[in-house]
């Protein structure tokens, strides 16, 4: 970094146009970032909220698919929340796919099978050859589960998630009204106990606003497999995970993109608090980093250049902040006003954006940590963005490139 700063110092002395060039570029990146965030805000506001009507009687058969690997601590709570769903049991099938768990997850699910007649346990070890190695066990688990059900609508979630009683009814009611091929719905963290976990919740709410907005803008580049629904027929029509099965992650977003390409007007976001799935923030920085690197690793797999442009705009803006900080410290304080202006503009924009998410999720209490979290967020964007594209990560005891 110091060598880089010395080089810039020499360049600035020889040519003052360097400063003008950097300033102009920084302002362009700032304007792109602000424009993008406000596009997301307006698109989110245009999304019509959906509410379940009491007189609505659902008729769609549903398979809830839950891939599970070493989730013995939370799988019972997940199954209990599904057990208490206000949904006709004759239209409901629940499939848990045990992904080579070593902690007793499968045994806990077996016990629940005695309480829930519509619950099935599938062991991935029984479905694959003993020596077969995969880059995405989760995709294979979901694929096998879909092959073993005939239900019309597939709903995927995670084994550490909790749902409200009207979760399924809201999703299916929305499906029966609009008939989308794929639906994505809100996910929110809950039961945070530390500043770090609350930071994750605040950040994740922003991601959910961006998810709903991108679907409304017909980008369909964001969703979360913890709350994803699609027609079984649509999954089969696009060849399931074929073509993306060698990518470790992407059982949600890359599948969404495949279905969107075939049915560009048939992907919807369910803007309903009742349709929200609740999960847990990571407890350690290491686990958080591995999770976000895994998510970011999908960013180079999209064919839609608009998505690449949006992702690049956000990343380049954050690089410009870092660059102006380095220049202000090592080159000239003339760059300091630009840095402060950019930071203030970003903070104001982000505050409005996150306030929208907090309001929807009924978590306005999290806004108090917005300012201390801002600087953590900038560093997080820069580091995770780089590692997600060029690094490897470990997830559930498996190292993935």
């Amino acid at each position: 970094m110091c060598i880089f700063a010395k080089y810039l110092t020499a360049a600035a002395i020889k040519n003052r146009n360097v400063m003008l060039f950097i300033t102009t570029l920084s302002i362009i990146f700032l304007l792109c970032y602000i424009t993008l965030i406000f596009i997301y805000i307006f698109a989110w506001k245009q999304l019509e909220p959906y509410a379940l009507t009491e007189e609505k009687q659902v008729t769609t058969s549903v398979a809830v698919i839950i891939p599970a690997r070493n989730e013995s601590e939370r799988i019972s709570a997940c199954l209990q929340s599904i057990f208490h769903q206000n949904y006709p049991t004759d239209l409901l099938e629940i499939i848990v796919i045990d992904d080579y768990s070593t902690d007793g997850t499968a045994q806990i699910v077996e016990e629940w099978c005695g309480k829930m007649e519509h619950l099935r346990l599938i062991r991935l070890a029984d479905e694959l050859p003993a020596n077969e190695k995969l880059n995405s066990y989760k995709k294979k688990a979901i694929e096998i589960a879909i092959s073993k059900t005939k239900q019309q609508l597939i709903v995927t979630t995670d084994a550490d998630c909790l749902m409200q009683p009207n979760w399924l009814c809201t999703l299916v009611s929305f499906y029966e009204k609009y008939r989308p091929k794929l639906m994505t719905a809100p996910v929110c963290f809950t039961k945070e106990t530390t500043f770090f976990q609350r930071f994750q919740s605040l950040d994740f709410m922003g991601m959910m606003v961006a998810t709903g907005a991108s679907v409304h803008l017909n980008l369909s580049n964001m969703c979360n497999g913890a709350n994803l629904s699609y027609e079984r027929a649509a999954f089969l029509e696009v060849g399931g995970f074929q073509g993306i099965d060698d990518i470790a992650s992407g059982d949600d977003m890359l599948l969404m993109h495949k279905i969107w390409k075939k049915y560009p007007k048939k992907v919807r976001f369910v803007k309903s608090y009742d349709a929200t799935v609740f999960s847990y923030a990571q407890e350690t920085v290491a686990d958080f980093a591995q999770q976000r690197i895994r998510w970011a690793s999908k960013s180079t797999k999209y064919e839609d250049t608009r998505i690449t442009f949006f992702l690049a705009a956000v990343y380049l803006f954050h690089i410009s902040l870092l660059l102006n900080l380095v220049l202000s410290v090592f080159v000239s304080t003339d760059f300091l006003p630009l840095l402060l202006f950019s930071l203030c503009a970003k903070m104001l924009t982000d505050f409005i954006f996150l306030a929208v998410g907090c309001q929807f999720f009924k978590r306005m209490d999290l806004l108090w940590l917005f300012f201390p979290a801002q600087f953590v967020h900038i560093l997080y964007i820069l580091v995770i963005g780089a590692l997600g594209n060029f690094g490897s990560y470990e997830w559930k005891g498996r190292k993935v490139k």
Side-chain angles (χ1 to χ4, degrees):
M1 188 67 75
C2 291
I3 295 174
F4 179 59
K6 289 179 181 179
Y7 172 79
L8 288 175
T9 302
I13 292 173
K14 292 178 180 179
N15 190 349
R16 295 293 294 177
N17 287 333
V18 172
M19 181 174 177
L20 179 61
F21 174 75
I22 293 174
T23 301
T24 303
L25 210 57
S26 297
I27 292 175
I28 290 173
F29 291 149
L30 171 63
L31 291 175
C32 287
Y33 180 80
I34 292 174
T35 301
L36 175 61
I37 296 300
F38 275 99
I39 287 174
Y40 278 156
I41 292 172
F42 290 135
W44 173 266
K45 291 292 187 180
Q46 289 175 343
L47 267 173
E48 184 179 351
Y50 184 77
L52 181 67
T53 55
E54 293 183 5
E55 64 274 10
K56 174 65 178 175
Q57 298 295 319
V58 293
T59 59
T60 302
S61 60
V62 175
V64 177
I65 295 178
I66 311 170
R69 176 173 168 82
N70 295 338
E71 292 288 355
S72 61
E73 293 183 4
R74 289 174 173 164
I75 186 70
S76 285
C78 176
L79 292 175
Q80 185 171 20
S81 67
I82 297 176
F83 179 72
H84 291 295
Q85 288 296 303
N86 296 324
Y87 202 83
T89 55
D90 60 318
L91 296 175
L92 178 61
E93 181 179 18
I94 305 164
I95 304 175
V96 176
I97 317 95
D98 179 60
D99 181 6
Y100 296 93
S101 294
T102 58
D103 66 347
T105 297
Q107 288 77 11
I108 293 172
V109 176
E110 282 183 331
E111 293 175 5
W112 272 94
C113 286
K115 306 174 187 177
M116 303 167 66
E117 294 181 359
H118 48 295
L119 171 64
R120 296 170 60 191
L121 170 65
I122 299 174
R123 286 181 170 85
L124 202 55
D126 295 336
E127 305 294 330
L128 300 176
N131 59 347
E132 183 171 356
K133 300 295 182 182
L134 302 172
N135 208 37
S136 180
Y137 287 87
K138 186 175 182 181
K139 289 196 191 83
K140 178 58 70 173
I142 294 172
E143 183 181 83
I144 289 173
I146 292 176
S147 71
K148 294 181 179 295
T149 183
K150 300 298 181 183
Q151 311 303 333
Q152 180 179 348
L153 188 66
I154 303 298
V155 179
T156 65
T157 190
D158 292 335
D160 61 347
C161 290
L162 303 171
M163 303 81 176
Q164 300 171 101
N166 284 330
W167 169 62
L168 270 181
C169 271
T170 303
L171 290 177
V172 177
S173 174
F174 184 94
Y175 168 74
E176 292 179 349
K177 180 177 181 179
Y178 297 105
R179 293 294 171 180
K181 296 296 181 180
L182 180 144
M183 304 179 297
T184 179
V187 180
C188 180
F189 292 149
T190 187
K191 299 181 180 178
E192 313 94 332
T193 59
T194 66
F195 171 85
F196 178 57
Q197 290 180 322
R198 293 187 181 95
F199 161 76
Q200 293 177 62
S201 287
L202 188 62
D203 174 65
F204 199 64
M205 287 176 192
M207 293 177 67
M208 283 297 108
V209 173
T211 297
S214 66
V215 173
H216 184 70
L217 293 167
N218 202 31
L219 288 173
S220 295
N221 64 314
M222 296 181 71
C223 64
N224 194 296
N227 202 1
L228 187 67
S229 311
Y230 41 88
E231 289 183 347
R232 181 176 181 274
F235 178 85
L236 298 176
E237 284 174 16
V238 301
F241 297 117
Q242 185 178 357
I244 58 173
D245 50 357
D246 61 330
I247 303 170
S249 189
D251 57 278
D252 43 20
M253 291 159 63
L254 296 180
L255 174 64
M256 178 192 207
H257 199 62
K258 286 186 70 175
I259 293 177
W260 171 81
K261 285 176 64 178
K262 186 172 181 63
Y263 301 103
K265 301 295 184 181
K266 292 289 187 178
V267 173
R268 300 291 296 265
F269 181 85
V270 187
K271 188 181 179 182
S272 170
Y273 184 75
D274 287 338
T276 300
V277 159
F278 296 88
S279 188
Y280 300 89
Q282 298 300 314
E283 295 181 0
T284 68
V285 174
D287 288 342
F288 170 75
Q290 295 299 314
Q291 180 192 61
R292 298 309 169 95
I293 292 170
R294 178 170 60 95
W295 292 354
S297 67
K298 296 169 280 193
S299 61
T300 60
K301 310 302 180 183
Y302 296 110
E303 300 174 6
D304 193 333
T305 55
R306 296 175 302 168
I307 299 172
T308 304
F309 171 78
F310 288 150
L311 293 173
V314 171
Y315 196 71
L316 288 173
F317 168 66
H318 286 82
I319 286 180
S320 74
L321 290 176
L322 177 62
L323 176 61
N324 283 303
L325 174 62
V326 172
L327 292 172
S328 298
V329 173
F330 294 103
V331 178
S332 171
T333 55
D334 290 343
F335 288 98
L336 188 58
L338 176 60
L339 173 64
L340 294 177
F341 175 76
S342 298
L343 282 173
C344 290
K346 169 183 163 54
M347 286 184 177
L348 178 59
T349 303
D350 287 356
F351 185 84
I352 297 171
F353 178 66
L354 292 174
V356 170
C358 289
Q359 183 179 35
F360 172 79
F361 287 107
K362 305 175 183 179
R363 292 299 308 273
M364 297 298 287
D365 60 295
L366 291 176
L367 279 178
W368 69 268
L369 54 80
F370 169 78
F371 290 105
Q374 270 291 292
F375 299 100
V376 178
H377 186 259
I378 293 172
L379 181 63
Y380 143 66
I381 290 290
L382 291 169
V383 174
I384 298 301
L387 293 178
N389 289 305
F390 304 109
S392 61
Y393 61 88
E394 185 174 316
W395 194 247
K396 299 288 186 180
R398 293 176 176 138
K399 188 169 185 178
V400 183
K401 292 186 178 181

